Amino acid sequence: MSHQDEEEDYMSEAFLNSLVAEEPAKSKSNMSYSERRRQKEREHLANLPKPLHVREKEAREQGLEKEIGEDNKGMAMLLKMGFKKGGTLGASKSASEPTTASTSTSPSGSAPPSTTSLIDTDGGALRAPLAIQIKQGRGGLGMDTSRKRQAEEALQRQEQEVHRVFDEGFRGQKRDQFELEKRKRQLGAARAICMRLDAKEAESRLEQESDEHCATTATRTAKDGRRSNRFWWIDDSMPDEVLGTKLMGPGAEVLVDLDQDQDKQTAEVRAFDHSDDEDGDLERNKAKRVRLDSSVSQEVDQTDLQDEEPPKWGERPHFAQLEVHEKLEEVVAYLRSEHSYCFWCSAQYDGPEDISENCPGKSEDDH
Amino acid sequence: MSDSKKRSKSSKEDAPKENPYLAHLPPSERLVGGASTAKNDYGLAANHPLANFVIGATTAQQGEAAEEGEINPFTNKPFSDKYRKILAGRRKLPVNKHRKEFLDLVQNNQVVILVGETGSGKTTQIPQFMVFDDLPAFKGKKIACTQPRRLAAMSVAQRVAEEMDVVMGQEVGYNIRFEDCTSERTMLQYMTDGMLLREAMNDPLLTRYSAVILDEAHDRTLSTDILMGLMKEIIKKRPDLKVVVMSATLDAGKFQKYFDDAPLMSVPGRTFPVEIYYTPEPESDYLEAAIFTALQIHRTEDAGDILLFLTGEEEIEDACRKIKAEADQMPDAGPIRVYPLYSSLPPQAQKRIYDDAPPPRTTGGRPGRKVVVSTNLAETSLTIDGIVYVIDPGFSKQKVYNPRIRVESLLVSPISKASAQQRSGRAGRTRPGKCFRLYTENAFMKELIETTYPEILRSNLGTVVLQLKKLGIDDLVHFDFMDPPAPETLMRALELLNYLGALDDDGNMTPLGSIMADFPLDPQLAKMLITSPKYGCSNEIMTIVSLLNVPLVFMRPPDQRKMADEAKAQFSHPDGDHLTLLNVYHAYKTSGEDQKWCYDNFCNYRTLKSADNVRTQLKRYMERADLDLVSLPFDERPKGPYYTGIRKALCAGYFMQVAHQERSGNYLTVKDNQVVRLHPSSCLDHASEWVIYNEFVLTNQNYIRTVSEVRAEWLLDIAPGYFELDSFPNCEGKRVLEKLIMRLKSSSSRERDDDEDERRKSRKSDRGDRDRKDSKRRR
């Protein structure tokens, strides 16, 4: 039997031993990090020297629990005298009298809970020694039990509270989070639309007034842009695609001190590169291009805007301080009034009259 | 015995006259008109007050007539005026009305159970009823009345001697451990229950007694319980012996059953209704609540004294101070006097509780009030008249014993329902009263046990087992205990006695055990004393043993602790508390047993005096047992042979109470591995690897008290059986002993003592090495 040489017989001891040896290793590797950490902590605590009073108490409790065994000389002598292990002492006759002080006392409160079970029910004789209770402090009679009860109640309340908070809090939090994410997405989309429409408008205007002076155009663009540029202000909550598109917004460059902040900007863009949003890349590329284009008019813009006191970097304008849903509302309102575009219908109407007639309403709920 | 012979002789003479109502008695006792017999037998003249008395067949009227006569029948002297005055008071006692009933019962039954509430007069009157009926004086016998407490035995005997107009110690006397105040003339003897048990060892049928009265049986002390078991045996063999069991509480049914349905007689006390008040909520501090309640009563309630139950001396003194201080501040309350009451209080101080309440400050002002703050001493054994208000926090100090870790301690524990009822009853002695229970009614119902566990369930049985063996009771397993103790408790007792050499492996008593049983001491102490001549220090051990048998010698008043500690330091011996006790005794003797010396040195004069008395008694026992009284030449060096010999002798008794110091600094008790520390009162001044201890006390912490340093070599030498390492649980001490045994085996025994110091040094450095290694490992 050749296979027996390769493998241990499953009846053999070696086989069993190998199993046993394998098990702990396996279980250890199976443990998660926190399990291992907890186990380590436990081991550490167990190895720490305990305070004297704790050791005292432990030894005492252990000692009180441990019945005197048969290796005890007294036990051997008692057995020789006719004692039967697990029995009680006393005249056998007394076994017919169940009424003794000890049996009728089954104190439910502070008294040793083990007492009742220790007492032989038919003889009233003790099987095991009376338990020892050490009173701590000067709490009145019933205080300890009432304290214990209160502590138990408090613990129960606390547990319930934890459950409640978990139930409500967790779900609520999840719901809010979901809502927020949704709003953010909508805001991003609205901003993108806004920018596109603004840019389109600016382009068409450029084409229209190509013969006019470059500087005035730039100024106008900036002025038009300023109406909406506040929506593109960089903001923590802004999704990366918005961040990307922001840079192409007309006037955005004006507000950004490019010399200092360009690096930072690109760094930020790069930081968002890992985003899996496909549109983002597209938009970003576009943004870079637009920025390069508009950088020509940079100097003019700066001089022109000096009296307008542009908000500085880091000093957040009104828009940035809004909550996400408020931002969304403003963007939607802007689209509606400036471009006759209804965000909820995802359609551009021909003019204010058209939108008021054909669009169901201003809010999402209307749609 | 001689008596029955005499009587049978006389019955033959007057053969036909038998009283038909006495048919249940043995023929010798059925006689009618035994007057002439009595006269003949006892040699009484016809005009003697007791001339027409028939033993065991007197009537209440006869007895009363004799008491009201001119001549004291027992001393043949005329009664004094004081006697008559007391007699008038005695006639008013509740029990007096039941004299006839009692005599009927006791004449017709061998055992009678009597229930009488405290203050009914049973303790003083019933024995006298017995004396007039049983006439022990004319049979050459005595009546014994047992009391659980020494003090009670003494004070009751004193009172009864006055009531019977006899000299204390003559016709009426008392016999307590180390103090025998009786004579040959004694016919009524008050004694502690332990003393009667001791007498039974040498006189198993108690032939010296014609009747035994077990008083305060409700207390269920260890000795009373054993005595009751013994009485059940004795009455079978002695039909002429009368037994009366007296109890103050109403659960006497248990006694009745135990004594095979003996008749029960109950004497109602003079009681008034007591209103009981509970607190609505549990108290967070019972002591504070008790003080507050006492002050509240003082301020608002009508005249009437207050009895407050607390647990211990310290607590009581504390409460006394606080109540006094607060009450004196109250402008609208009357004057107050506060008295403590606990057993270690000197008798004079104890008697002050009977003082009257102070009068009001101005006539017609708020009444003065007496407050007694007591342990459960005032629960049943002492009666204080005038108590109207009782404050009961629901705790008392109770002895506990656990054989598993061999600890015997006094612990504050909740009382029982029966105790609570007894306490509240104290308020209704003179008029309707009030009882304030400082716990909720719910706590009363649910947390209190029905009755307090009898002492036998809470005690070490070492002494009892030795006594029972001496009494010839071999079958301890089936001994008719009223409440059988836990088997493990008996195991420990047997184990102890076996290692001490008092019992052999089959549980039979050895000659040594028989001698040990004769000493009124714990087996360990008896063994120590008996073996002390071998170490040449029996005089010294005698001193130490007597000091261990009295309350603590050192006083430590709360306001002078520092001075007291300094005073104690002059006596302290570096090697332990036992030798310190010896030093104190020697100093006391050197001072000429001077009371002032004691006062100056914070020693308790009374205690030292009684220790000296105990020592005298022990000396008598030693002489009786033919043991040498020897001393080694004094040598003041602490490690000299004088002190070493004493410590070795201590080991011989206490080798089962040994603790070993661990590397961590604390001690572990040998075999039980309990973590303990030295009691702060110990004067052991250096870390000692091995110590013997007198007591393992349980408080919030585990303490060993009264400690002396010993050497492992001695332990191995003295008790090789106990230090058999196979029976040791794993511990440092075991490893140390193992090493030591190896070393002893390898090296010859010579020069052992010379090596000692060096070896100790090496052990220390050894230890240091280990420590260092250990710390390295930890790092």
Side-chain angles (χ1 to χ4, degrees), chain B residues 468-507:
Chain B
L468 286 173
K469 280 284 170 189
K470 178 89 179 184
L471 283 162
I473 292 160
D474 287 324
D475 190 1
L476 295 175
V477 175
H478 300 110
F479 182 73
D480 192 2
F481 297 104
M482 196 161 174
D483 279 306
E488 284 167 75
T489 306
L490 186 55
M491 274 175 220
R492 279 294 188 205
L494 292 170
E495 184 194 18
L496 170 76
L497 293 171
N498 179 263
Y499 282 122
L500 286 174
L503 299 180
D504 63 18
D505 286 353
D506 297 323

Side-chain angles (χ1 to χ4, degrees), chain A residues 84-365:
Chain A
K84 290 199 178 59
K85 212 164 175 264
T88 58
L89 303 179
S92 48
K93 176 177 58 131
S94 72
S96 60
E97 302 294 343
T99 50
T100 51
S102 4
T103 35
S104 50
T105 57
S106 43
S108 53
S110 65
S114 48
T115 317
T116 31
S117 60
L118 297 179
I119 287 169
D120 185 9
T121 37
D122 32 87
L126 289 180
R127 278 193 196 288
L130 294 174
I132 286 185
Q133 291 263 306
I134 299 175
K135 182 176 162 51
Q136 309 269 10
R138 282 189 166 141
L141 192 62
M143 195 65 209
D144 293 350
T145 31
S146 99
R147 258 190 213 139
K148 212 191 279 167
R149 201 177 53 235
Q150 275 169 6
E152 268 166 20
E153 279 170 6
L155 194 73
Q156 224 168 13
R157 269 202 303 278
Q158 206 181 337
E159 261 171 26
Q160 279 172 356
E161 183 68 19
V162 166
H163 272 290
R164 199 182 56 76
V165 165
F166 181 78
D167 277 7
E168 293 181 6
F170 181 72
R171 282 192 207 141
Q173 225 178 341
K174 277 284 170 204
R175 196 179 53 227
D176 289 350
Q177 216 175 346
F178 179 75
E179 196 85 341
L180 186 71
E181 290 297 321
K182 186 176 148 198
R183 292 273 171 243
K184 274 183 185 171
R185 277 198 307 276
Q186 289 175 337
L187 179 62
R191 277 173 153 179
I193 292 163
C194 179
M195 267 179 251
R196 207 172 60 234
L197 290 175
D198 275 1
K200 215 198 247 164
E201 200 181 273
E203 263 170 42
S204 63
R205 212 173 288 153
L206 262 174
E207 277 166 20
Q208 274 173 20
E209 303 168 20
S210 52
D211 49 336
E212 282 182 31
H213 192 267
C214 181
T216 45
T217 315
T219 317
R220 278 210 54 175
T221 322
K223 276 184 182 165
D224 284 344
R226 197 158 310 124
R227 281 178 299 170
S228 58
N229 68 14
R230 55 200 171 112
F231 304 139
W232 306 324
W233 199 253
I234 279 199
D235 154 13
D236 296 338
S237 62
M238 221 178 266
D240 46 6
E241 67 268 32
V242 179
L243 243 177
T245 50
K246 169 211 152 277
L247 296 171
M248 78 177 202
E253 310 90 306
V254 180
L255 302 170
V256 176
D257 187 353
L258 282 173
D259 288 337
Q260 285 176 15
D261 287 305
Q262 198 168 9
D263 296 345
K264 192 171 178 184
Q265 291 295 322
T266 40
E268 274 186 44
V269 171
R270 237 179 269 130
F272 283 105
D273 263 345
H274 59 82
S275 152
D276 48 3
D277 199 318
E278 293 135 21
D279 300 332
D281 290 329
L282 239 158
E283 299 268 312
R284 205 160 24 247
N285 294 338
K286 221 183 344 180
K288 276 175 191 157
R289 206 181 52 228
V290 171
R291 193 182 59 198
L292 290 175
D293 290 343
S294 58
S295 64
V296 188
S297 60
Q298 186 185 357
E299 280 180 7
V300 189
D301 285 330
Q302 273 183 337
T303 47
D304 189 49
L305 282 167
Q306 246 152 21
D307 52 343
E308 296 260 23
E309 272 206 27
K312 285 191 180 114
W313 184 258
E315 192 181 293
R316 301 239 161 149
H318 171 67
F319 180 72
Q321 286 161 6
L322 294 176
E323 291 291 320
V324 176
H325 66 103
E326 289 169 330
K327 283 177 187 166
L328 182 65
E329 270 167 34
E330 257 189 60
V331 179
V332 170
Y334 172 84
L335 283 172
R336 207 174 175 83
S337 59
E338 294 297 314
H339 299 293
S340 303
Y341 183 91
C342 177
F343 180 70
W344 308 119
C345 306
S346 307
Q348 191 165 26
Y349 293 85
D350 294 340
E353 295 83 23
D354 189 25
I355 199 168
S356 59
E357 275 175 31
N358 295 319
C359 178
K362 286 178 179 173
S363 69
E364 188 182 12
D365 296 340

